[in-house]
PDB file of all heavy atoms in Angstrom:
ATOM      1  N   TYR A 196      52.475 -16.610 -15.681  1.00 92.00           N
ATOM      2  CA  TYR A 196      53.947 -16.616 -15.534  1.00 92.00           C
ATOM      3  C   TYR A 196      54.444 -15.292 -14.933  1.00 92.00           C
ATOM      4  O   TYR A 196      55.352 -15.282 -14.099  1.00 92.00           O
ATOM      5  CB  TYR A 196      54.627 -16.844 -16.894  1.00 92.00           C
ATOM      6  CG  TYR A 196      54.499 -18.256 -17.405  1.00 92.00           C
ATOM      7  CD1 TYR A 196      54.013 -18.523 -18.681  1.00 92.00           C
ATOM      8  CD2 TYR A 196      54.865 -19.348 -16.595  1.00 92.00           C
ATOM      9  CE1 TYR A 196      53.887 -19.820 -19.157  1.00 92.00           C
ATOM     10  CE2 TYR A 196      54.745 -20.654 -17.067  1.00 92.00           C
ATOM     11  CZ  TYR A 196      54.250 -20.880 -18.331  1.00 92.00           C
ATOM     12  OH  TYR A 196      54.127 -22.169 -18.792  1.00 92.00           O
ATOM     13  N   LEU A 197      53.866 -14.171 -15.376  1.00 92.00           N
ATOM     14  CA  LEU A 197      54.339 -12.857 -14.910  1.00 92.00           C
ATOM     15  C   LEU A 197      53.949 -12.610 -13.449  1.00 92.00           C
ATOM     16  O   LEU A 197      54.701 -11.995 -12.699  1.00 92.00           O
ATOM     17  CB  LEU A 197      53.799 -11.747 -15.825  1.00 92.00           C
ATOM     18  CG  LEU A 197      54.343 -11.790 -17.263  1.00 92.00           C
ATOM     19  CD1 LEU A 197      53.582 -10.828 -18.161  1.00 92.00           C
ATOM     20  CD2 LEU A 197      55.829 -11.476 -17.319  1.00 92.00           C
ATOM     21  N   VAL A 198      52.764 -13.092 -13.029  1.00 93.00           N
ATOM     22  CA  VAL A 198      52.360 -12.958 -11.618  1.00 93.00           C
ATOM     23  C   VAL A 198      53.335 -13.743 -10.735  1.00 93.00           C
ATOM     24  O   VAL A 198      53.769 -13.271  -9.676  1.00 93.00           O
ATOM     25  CB  VAL A 198      50.910 -13.480 -11.406  1.00 93.00           C
ATOM     26  CG1 VAL A 198      50.616 -13.686  -9.927  1.00 93.00           C
ATOM     27  CG2 VAL A 198      49.915 -12.502 -11.974  1.00 93.00           C
ATOM     28  N   LYS A 199      53.714 -14.971 -11.191  1.00 92.00           N
ATOM     29  CA  LYS A 199      54.660 -15.798 -10.418  1.00 92.00           C
ATOM     30  C   LYS A 199      56.000 -15.083 -10.252  1.00 92.00           C
ATOM     31  O   LYS A 199      56.679 -15.222  -9.236  1.00 92.00           O
ATOM     32  CB  LYS A 199      54.863 -17.153 -11.109  1.00 92.00           C
ATOM     33  CG  LYS A 199      53.755 -18.143 -10.738  1.00 92.00           C
ATOM     34  CD  LYS A 199      53.823 -19.418 -11.537  1.00 92.00           C
ATOM     35  CE  LYS A 199      55.042 -20.281 -11.169  1.00 92.00           C
ATOM     36  NZ  LYS A 199      55.019 -21.563 -11.901  1.00 92.00           N
ATOM     37  N   ALA A 200      56.371 -14.263 -11.280  1.00 92.00           N
ATOM     38  CA  ALA A 200      57.662 -13.549 -11.216  1.00 92.00           C
ATOM     39  C   ALA A 200      57.513 -12.212 -10.477  1.00 92.00           C
ATOM     40  O   ALA A 200      58.473 -11.440 -10.383  1.00 92.00           O
ATOM     41  CB  ALA A 200      58.184 -13.319 -12.623  1.00 92.00           C
ATOM     42  N   GLY A 201      56.289 -11.910  -9.976  1.00 92.00           N
ATOM     43  CA  GLY A 201      56.080 -10.659  -9.222  1.00 92.00           C
ATOM     44  C   GLY A 201      56.064  -9.418 -10.106  1.00 92.00           C
ATOM     45  O   GLY A 201      56.466  -8.331  -9.689  1.00 92.00           O
ATOM     46  N   ILE A 202      55.600  -9.582 -11.368  1.00 92.00           N
ATOM     47  CA  ILE A 202      55.574  -8.450 -12.307  1.00 92.00           C
ATOM     48  C   ILE A 202      54.121  -7.994 -12.497  1.00 92.00           C
ATOM     49  O   ILE A 202      53.241  -8.822 -12.724  1.00 92.00           O
ATOM     50  CB  ILE A 202      56.187  -8.860 -13.667  1.00 92.00           C
ATOM     51  CG1 ILE A 202      57.661  -9.233 -13.485  1.00 92.00           C
ATOM     52  CG2 ILE A 202      56.044  -7.742 -14.693  1.00 92.00           C
ATOM     53  CD1 ILE A 202      58.298  -9.873 -14.705  1.00 92.00           C
ATOM     54  N   SER A 203      53.887  -6.678 -12.414  1.00 93.00           N
ATOM     55  CA  SER A 203      52.551  -6.129 -12.688  1.00 93.00           C
ATOM     56  C   SER A 203      52.449  -5.795 -14.180  1.00 93.00           C
ATOM     57  O   SER A 203      53.448  -5.412 -14.791  1.00 93.00           O
ATOM     58  CB  SER A 203      52.320  -4.855 -11.875  1.00 93.00           C
ATOM     59  OG  SER A 203      52.363  -5.159 -10.500  1.00 93.00           O
ATOM     60  N   VAL A 204      51.233  -5.949 -14.728  1.00 93.00           N
ATOM     61  CA  VAL A 204      51.059  -5.741 -16.174  1.00 93.00           C
ATOM     62  C   VAL A 204      49.859  -4.821 -16.440  1.00 93.00           C
ATOM     63  O   VAL A 204      48.804  -4.976 -15.822  1.00 93.00           O
ATOM     64  CB  VAL A 204      50.834  -7.094 -16.903  1.00 93.00           C
ATOM     65  CG1 VAL A 204      50.671  -6.872 -18.398  1.00 93.00           C
ATOM     66  CG2 VAL A 204      51.974  -8.054 -16.627  1.00 93.00           C
ATOM     67  N   LEU A 205      50.042  -3.838 -17.344  1.00 93.00           N
ATOM     68  CA  LEU A 205      48.924  -3.046 -17.886  1.00 93.00           C
ATOM     69  C   LEU A 205      48.857  -3.351 -19.376  1.00 93.00           C
ATOM     70  O   LEU A 205      49.895  -3.434 -20.035  1.00 93.00           O
ATOM     71  CB  LEU A 205      49.179  -1.542 -17.699  1.00 93.00           C
ATOM     72  CG  LEU A 205      49.335  -1.015 -16.276  1.00 93.00           C
ATOM     73  CD1 LEU A 205      49.645   0.477 -16.322  1.00 93.00           C
ATOM     74  CD2 LEU A 205      48.098  -1.256 -15.441  1.00 93.00           C
ATOM     75  N   ARG A 206      47.647  -3.530 -19.901  1.00 92.00           N
ATOM     76  CA  ARG A 206      47.560  -3.897 -21.330  1.00 92.00           C
ATOM     77  C   ARG A 206      46.608  -2.967 -22.088  1.00 92.00           C
ATOM     78  O   ARG A 206      45.859  -2.202 -21.500  1.00 92.00           O
ATOM     79  CB  ARG A 206      47.095  -5.345 -21.476  1.00 92.00           C
ATOM     80  CG  ARG A 206      45.668  -5.559 -21.023  1.00 92.00           C
ATOM     81  CD  ARG A 206      45.226  -6.987 -21.226  1.00 92.00           C
ATOM     82  NE  ARG A 206      43.938  -7.222 -20.575  1.00 92.00           N
ATOM     83  CZ  ARG A 206      43.398  -8.409 -20.401  1.00 92.00           C
ATOM     84  NH1 ARG A 206      44.027  -9.487 -20.826  1.00 92.00           N
ATOM     85  NH2 ARG A 206      42.233  -8.546 -19.813  1.00 92.00           N
ATOM     86  N   ARG A 207      46.662  -3.086 -23.416  1.00 92.00           N
ATOM     87  CA  ARG A 207      45.796  -2.339 -24.351  1.00 92.00           C
ATOM     88  C   ARG A 207      45.839  -0.831 -24.116  1.00 92.00           C
ATOM     89  O   ARG A 207      44.815  -0.186 -23.927  1.00 92.00           O
ATOM     90  CB  ARG A 207      44.355  -2.854 -24.281  1.00 92.00           C
ATOM     91  CG  ARG A 207      44.265  -4.299 -24.691  1.00 92.00           C
ATOM     92  CD  ARG A 207      42.942  -4.671 -25.319  1.00 92.00           C
ATOM     93  NE  ARG A 207      43.058  -5.999 -25.913  1.00 92.00           N
ATOM     94  CZ  ARG A 207      42.804  -7.145 -25.249  1.00 92.00           C
ATOM     95  NH1 ARG A 207      42.417  -7.095 -23.992  1.00 92.00           N
ATOM     96  NH2 ARG A 207      42.948  -8.296 -25.854  1.00 92.00           N
ATOM     97  N   LEU A 208      47.047  -0.282 -24.104  1.00 91.00           N
ATOM     98  CA  LEU A 208      47.195   1.173 -23.998  1.00 91.00           C
ATOM     99  C   LEU A 208      47.118   1.782 -25.384  1.00 91.00           C
ATOM    100  O   LEU A 208      47.419   1.125 -26.372  1.00 91.00           O
ATOM    101  CB  LEU A 208      48.567   1.523 -23.419  1.00 91.00           C
ATOM    102  CG  LEU A 208      48.547   1.935 -21.952  1.00 91.00           C
ATOM    103  CD1 LEU A 208      48.383   0.690 -21.115  1.00 91.00           C
ATOM    104  CD2 LEU A 208      49.817   2.645 -21.603  1.00 91.00           C
ATOM    105  N   LYS A 209      46.758   3.056 -25.428  1.00 91.00           N
ATOM    106  CA  LYS A 209      46.826   3.766 -26.707  1.00 91.00           C
ATOM    107  C   LYS A 209      48.295   4.034 -27.016  1.00 91.00           C
ATOM    108  O   LYS A 209      49.104   4.225 -26.111  1.00 91.00           O
ATOM    109  CB  LYS A 209      46.085   5.094 -26.607  1.00 91.00           C
ATOM    110  CG  LYS A 209      44.595   4.968 -26.535  1.00 91.00           C
ATOM    111  CD  LYS A 209      43.972   6.349 -26.477  1.00 91.00           C
ATOM    112  CE  LYS A 209      42.482   6.255 -26.219  1.00 91.00           C
ATOM    113  NZ  LYS A 209      41.955   7.486 -25.647  1.00 91.00           N
ATOM    114  N   LYS A 210      48.588   4.146 -28.317  1.00 91.00           N
ATOM    115  CA  LYS A 210      49.959   4.453 -28.768  1.00 91.00           C
ATOM    116  C   LYS A 210      50.432   5.772 -28.152  1.00 91.00           C
ATOM    117  O   LYS A 210      51.569   5.893 -27.701  1.00 91.00           O
ATOM    118  CB  LYS A 210      49.952   4.568 -30.293  1.00 91.00           C
ATOM    119  CG  LYS A 210      51.314   4.777 -30.911  1.00 91.00           C
ATOM    120  CD  LYS A 210      51.970   3.446 -31.104  1.00 91.00           C
ATOM    121  CE  LYS A 210      53.330   3.519 -31.730  1.00 91.00           C
ATOM    122  NZ  LYS A 210      54.093   2.306 -31.456  1.00 91.00           N
ATOM    123  N   THR A 211      49.536   6.775 -28.125  1.00 91.00           N
ATOM    124  CA  THR A 211      49.926   8.101 -27.616  1.00 91.00           C
ATOM    125  C   THR A 211      50.285   8.038 -26.139  1.00 91.00           C
ATOM    126  O   THR A 211      51.228   8.681 -25.684  1.00 91.00           O
ATOM    127  CB  THR A 211      48.774   9.102 -27.822  1.00 91.00           C
ATOM    128  OG1 THR A 211      47.569   8.516 -27.315  1.00 91.00           O
ATOM    129  CG2 THR A 211      48.589   9.444 -29.279  1.00 91.00           C
ATOM    130  N   ASP A 212      49.501   7.232 -25.352  1.00 91.00           N
ATOM    131  CA  ASP A 212      49.797   7.093 -23.920  1.00 91.00           C
ATOM    132  C   ASP A 212      51.151   6.427 -23.713  1.00 91.00           C
ATOM    133  O   ASP A 212      51.925   6.807 -22.843  1.00 91.00           O
ATOM    134  CB  ASP A 212      48.709   6.260 -23.220  1.00 91.00           C
ATOM    135  CG  ASP A 212      47.424   7.054 -23.055  1.00 91.00           C
ATOM    136  OD1 ASP A 212      47.501   8.297 -23.094  1.00 91.00           O
ATOM    137  OD2 ASP A 212      46.353   6.447 -22.907  1.00 91.00           O
ATOM    138  N   ASN A 213      51.421   5.408 -24.531  1.00 92.00           N
ATOM    139  CA  ASN A 213      52.705   4.700 -24.407  1.00 92.00           C
ATOM    140  C   ASN A 213      53.876   5.639 -24.705  1.00 92.00           C
ATOM    141  O   ASN A 213      54.902   5.620 -24.030  1.00 92.00           O
ATOM    142  CB  ASN A 213      52.724   3.506 -25.355  1.00 92.00           C
ATOM    143  CG  ASN A 213      53.427   2.297 -24.745  1.00 92.00           C
ATOM    144  OD1 ASN A 213      53.785   2.306 -23.564  1.00 92.00           O
ATOM    145  ND2 ASN A 213      53.623   1.273 -25.535  1.00 92.00           N
ATOM    146  N   ASN A 214      53.698   6.500 -25.729  1.00 92.00           N
ATOM    147  CA  ASN A 214      54.756   7.472 -26.068  1.00 92.00           C
ATOM    148  C   ASN A 214      54.992   8.440 -24.920  1.00 92.00           C
ATOM    149  O   ASN A 214      56.130   8.830 -24.635  1.00 92.00           O
ATOM    150  CB  ASN A 214      54.367   8.278 -27.315  1.00 92.00           C
ATOM    151  CG  ASN A 214      54.492   7.439 -28.569  1.00 92.00           C
ATOM    152  OD1 ASN A 214      55.209   6.445 -28.579  1.00 92.00           O
ATOM    153  ND2 ASN A 214      53.780   7.801 -29.620  1.00 92.00           N
ATOM    154  N   ARG A 215      53.887   8.848 -24.247  1.00 91.00           N
ATOM    155  CA  ARG A 215      54.028   9.785 -23.123  1.00 91.00           C
ATOM    156  C   ARG A 215      54.786   9.138 -21.970  1.00 91.00           C
ATOM    157  O   ARG A 215      55.643   9.752 -21.357  1.00 91.00           O
ATOM    158  CB  ARG A 215      52.641  10.242 -22.645  1.00 91.00           C
ATOM    159  CG  ARG A 215      52.216  11.562 -23.243  1.00 91.00           C
ATOM    160  CD  ARG A 215      51.125  12.194 -22.438  1.00 91.00           C
ATOM    161  NE  ARG A 215      49.960  11.331 -22.367  1.00 91.00           N
ATOM    162  CZ  ARG A 215      49.082  11.211 -23.348  1.00 91.00           C
ATOM    163  NH1 ARG A 215      49.221  11.905 -24.450  1.00 91.00           N
ATOM    164  NH2 ARG A 215      48.046  10.414 -23.233  1.00 91.00           N
ATOM    165  N   ILE A 216      54.443   7.868 -21.686  1.00 92.00           N
ATOM    166  CA  ILE A 216      55.139   7.165 -20.589  1.00 92.00           C
ATOM    167  C   ILE A 216      56.634   7.045 -20.921  1.00 92.00           C
ATOM    168  O   ILE A 216      57.498   7.255 -20.065  1.00 92.00           O
ATOM    169  CB  ILE A 216      54.522   5.769 -20.353  1.00 92.00           C
ATOM    170  CG1 ILE A 216      53.079   5.922 -19.889  1.00 92.00           C
ATOM    171  CG2 ILE A 216      55.318   4.982 -19.317  1.00 92.00           C
ATOM    172  CD1 ILE A 216      52.292   4.631 -19.833  1.00 92.00           C
ATOM    173  N   ALA A 217      56.924   6.740 -22.203  1.00 92.00           N
ATOM    174  CA  ALA A 217      58.335   6.606 -22.619  1.00 92.00           C
ATOM    175  C   ALA A 217      59.094   7.900 -22.347  1.00 92.00           C
ATOM    176  O   ALA A 217      60.230   7.890 -21.852  1.00 92.00           O
ATOM    177  CB  ALA A 217      58.410   6.242 -24.097  1.00 92.00           C
ATOM    178  N   ARG A 218      58.453   9.060 -22.660  1.00 89.00           N
ATOM    179  CA  ARG A 218      59.113  10.355 -22.426  1.00 89.00           C
ATOM    180  C   ARG A 218      59.264  10.631 -20.935  1.00 89.00           C
ATOM    181  O   ARG A 218      60.236  11.222 -20.503  1.00 89.00           O
ATOM    182  CB  ARG A 218      58.263  11.479 -23.043  1.00 89.00           C
ATOM    183  CG  ARG A 218      58.412  11.671 -24.528  1.00 89.00           C
ATOM    184  CD  ARG A 218      59.483  12.694 -24.908  1.00 89.00           C
ATOM    185  NE  ARG A 218      59.100  14.062 -24.634  1.00 89.00           N
ATOM    186  CZ  ARG A 218      58.829  14.980 -25.555  1.00 89.00           C
ATOM    187  NH1 ARG A 218      58.884  14.674 -26.818  1.00 89.00           N
ATOM    188  NH2 ARG A 218      58.533  16.213 -25.220  1.00 89.00           N
ATOM    189  N   ALA A 219      58.251  10.214 -20.141  1.00 90.00           N
ATOM    190  CA  ALA A 219      58.252  10.560 -18.707  1.00 90.00           C
ATOM    191  C   ALA A 219      59.280   9.740 -17.919  1.00 90.00           C
ATOM    192  O   ALA A 219      59.928  10.263 -17.012  1.00 90.00           O
ATOM    193  CB  ALA A 219      56.862  10.355 -18.121  1.00 90.00           C
ATOM    194  N   VAL A 220      59.420   8.452 -18.268  1.00 90.00           N
ATOM    195  CA  VAL A 220      60.296   7.592 -17.443  1.00 90.00           C
ATOM    196  C   VAL A 220      61.629   7.283 -18.124  1.00 90.00           C
ATOM    197  O   VAL A 220      62.473   6.577 -17.557  1.00 90.00           O
ATOM    198  CB  VAL A 220      59.582   6.266 -17.058  1.00 90.00           C
ATOM    199  CG1 VAL A 220      58.301   6.567 -16.310  1.00 90.00           C
ATOM    200  CG2 VAL A 220      59.309   5.386 -18.275  1.00 90.00           C
ATOM    201  N   GLY A 221      61.818   7.799 -19.351  1.00 89.00           N
ATOM    202  CA  GLY A 221      63.098   7.581 -20.033  1.00 89.00           C
ATOM    203  C   GLY A 221      63.247   6.178 -20.581  1.00 89.00           C
ATOM    204  O   GLY A 221      64.346   5.619 -20.587  1.00 89.00           O
ATOM    205  N   ALA A 222      62.133   5.551 -21.004  1.00 90.00           N
ATOM    206  CA  ALA A 222      62.196   4.191 -21.549  1.00 90.00           C
ATOM    207  C   ALA A 222      62.127   4.223 -23.069  1.00 90.00           C
ATOM    208  O   ALA A 222      61.817   5.254 -23.656  1.00 90.00           O
ATOM    209  CB  ALA A 222      61.034   3.368 -21.003  1.00 90.00           C
ATOM    210  N   THR A 223      62.420   3.075 -23.686  1.00 92.00           N
ATOM    211  CA  THR A 223      62.258   2.931 -25.131  1.00 92.00           C
ATOM    212  C   THR A 223      61.214   1.854 -25.379  1.00 92.00           C
ATOM    213  O   THR A 223      61.260   0.807 -24.730  1.00 92.00           O
ATOM    214  CB  THR A 223      63.592   2.497 -25.795  1.00 92.00           C
ATOM    215  OG1 THR A 223      64.612   3.387 -25.360  1.00 92.00           O
ATOM    216  CG2 THR A 223      63.499   2.525 -27.299  1.00 92.00           C
ATOM    217  N   ILE A 224      60.284   2.107 -26.288  1.00 92.00           N
ATOM    218  CA  ILE A 224      59.246   1.102 -26.577  1.00 92.00           C
ATOM    219  C   ILE A 224      59.871  -0.015 -27.419  1.00 92.00           C
ATOM    220  O   ILE A 224      60.510   0.244 -28.441  1.00 92.00           O
ATOM    221  CB  ILE A 224      58.066   1.750 -27.332  1.00 92.00           C
ATOM    222  CG1 ILE A 224      57.425   2.829 -26.459  1.00 92.00           C
ATOM    223  CG2 ILE A 224      57.024   0.707 -27.706  1.00 92.00           C
ATOM    224  CD1 ILE A 224      56.381   3.680 -27.150  1.00 92.00           C
TER     225      ILE A 224
END
């Protein structure tokens, strides 16, 4: 479904990596 919508997906990240991405791009998990 996500490929059909043109969305890229990364999975099984570490919690610490996800927190770093949140700080870098200004997102909320």
Side-chain angles (χ1 to χ4, degrees):
Y196 287 128
L197 294 170
V198 165
K199 277 172 69 176
I202 297 170
S203 297
V204 181
L205 299 177
R206 67 178 170 191
R207 298 210 169 89
L208 257 76
K209 288 182 188 157
K210 184 85 179 160
T211 50
D212 286 339
N213 218 7
N214 286 339
R215 264 199 301 281
I216 296 171
R218 280 268 287 250
V220 302
T223 309
I224 298 172

